[in-house]
Amino acid sequence: SHNRMVLGQRRVEEKSNEITAIPELLTLLVLKGCIVTIDAIGCQTEIAAQIVEQEADYVLAVKGNQGTLHEDIADLFAGFEEHQFQAVDYDYHKTVNKDHGRIEIRECWVVTRPDYIAYLRRHQAWPQLTSLVKIVSERRINGQTTVKIRYFIASFSRSAQHFLQLCRDHWHIENQLHWVLDVAFRQDHNRVHKDHAPENLAVMQHIALNLLKQEKTARIGVKAKRLKAGWDNAYLLKVLAG
């Protein structure tokens, strides 16, 4: 996420989902020393084990797809809040961002004590499970307020500030990759469906996006850079040389 680069992709087979494709993608990547963040669909014990085996750490979003895991974490934090975190060993961080009439407040709580981890009924199924994280995001815009509560599990211990930044970096992928591919490349409107064409086109678009992101001399958006490369062969060669 810091380098804003797509490192790899795998096709999701028909009548399947990302759960089968994620392990194949992880195998392609050198993960040693890295932190891997995955949405809730990737919150699987086998995927967590593979990340650890590849000498990396994981931060996995937790929803209702993992049996009792979400319920247990929510109950644990609810108990802490009921007693206002008194006598609880935890870390906390809060950020407030104001931009274009919008206020975003994010709060993060992290607990790491082994007895807290042991509260989860299937904690032993998760390799190197070390931290339980709760993040509350509040957005205020045009007099309306929305609140989202998310839970995460992680294989390492860090401050609440660090976990909050990791989760923001993860969502930057949605904003700086998928949203850009839709706006600048009109990916969602693409009608290519035959054989391997969609997969091949996606590879080419990711390569193009990587090159355009690395080109820093033109202080314009990705869509404008594409147009400029089409109009100016000298600029096109500069992008390709990146």
Side-chain angles (χ1 to χ4, degrees):
S1 59
H2 291 169
N3 293 320
R4 298 185 178 185
M5 292 189 68
V6 177
L7 300 178
Q9 69 173 30
R10 294 296 290 180
R11 177 181 178 180
V12 177
E13 300 296 336
E14 293 185 20
K15 300 181 180 180
S16 184
N17 57 35
E18 289 93 333
I19 294 175
T20 58
I22 289 173
E24 297 178 5
L25 177 59
L26 293 175
T27 301
L28 295 176
L29 303 175
V30 178
L31 300 180
K32 184 176 181 180
C34 296
I35 296 173
V36 180
T37 64
I38 310 180
D39 291 334
I41 195 168
C43 188
Q44 309 289 329
T45 55
E46 297 84 358
I47 291 175
Q50 181 177 347
I51 293 171
V52 171
E53 288 170 5
Q54 292 184 232
E55 301 182 67
D57 283 301
Y58 61 79
V59 179
L60 305 178
V62 178
K63 288 188 178 178
N65 64 327
Q66 262 302 329
T68 61
L69 182 63
H70 184 276
E71 178 185 350
D72 288 347
I73 297 176
D75 286 347
L76 183 68
F77 278 102
F80 293 153
E81 291 164 3
E82 185 177 348
H83 297 89
Q84 299 180 329
F85 282 88
Q86 293 183 7
V88 176
D89 186 6
Y90 73 102
D91 193 45
Y92 170 80
H93 187 69
K94 178 180 179 179
T95 62
V96 179
N97 296 297
K98 300 178 181 179
D99 187 29
H100 301 294
R102 178 179 61 196
I103 299 177
E104 293 185 348
I105 303 170
R106 297 179 179 86
E107 297 179 275
C108 179
W109 295 261
V110 181
V111 295
T112 58
R113 276 180 38 174
D115 53 330
Y116 300 156
I117 303 296
Y119 178 83
L120 309 182
R121 279 168 277 186
R122 296 186 62 249
H123 68 278
Q124 293 179 333
W126 298 94
Q128 296 187 13
L129 177 56
T130 304
S131 298
L132 307 178
V133 183
K134 177 180 180 178
I135 293 180
V136 177
S137 302
E138 179 180 333
R139 174 178 291 187
R140 303 173 185 173
I141 184 171
N142 297 328
Q144 295 185 336
T145 300
T146 58
V147 178
K148 290 185 178 181
I149 300 175
R150 292 172 288 165
Y151 299 101
F152 302 84
I153 58 174
S155 61
F156 59 96
S157 176
R158 291 289 192 281
S159 66
Q161 181 178 4
H162 190 84
F163 274 113
L164 200 55
Q165 186 60 51
L166 284 173
C167 292
R168 291 196 68 181
D169 288 345
H170 178 86
W171 287 106
H172 283 166
I173 297 171
E174 178 67 33
N175 295 329
Q176 297 174 5
L177 174 61
H178 300 302
W179 184 82
V180 171
L181 285 170
D182 183 28
V183 172
F185 291 83
R186 296 182 60 82
Q187 197 174 69
D188 288 352
H189 294 82
N190 179 40
R191 294 174 179 260
V192 176
H193 300 294
K194 186 175 176 59
D195 301 327
H196 297 288
E199 185 178 6
N200 293 336
L201 184 59
V203 171
M204 297 302 294
Q205 288 175 337
H206 285 151
I207 293 173
L209 181 60
N210 284 345
L211 290 171
L212 292 169
K213 290 268 189 184
Q214 298 306 303
E215 205 296 294
K216 305 293 186 183
T217 62
R219 299 185 178 277
I220 52 180
V222 171
K223 186 175 182 178
K225 285 182 180 180
R226 287 190 68 200
L227 292 172
K228 183 177 174 66
W231 295 329
D232 185 343
N233 285 340
Y235 181 71
L236 173 62
L237 292 173
K238 181 185 291 187
V239 171
L240 293 175

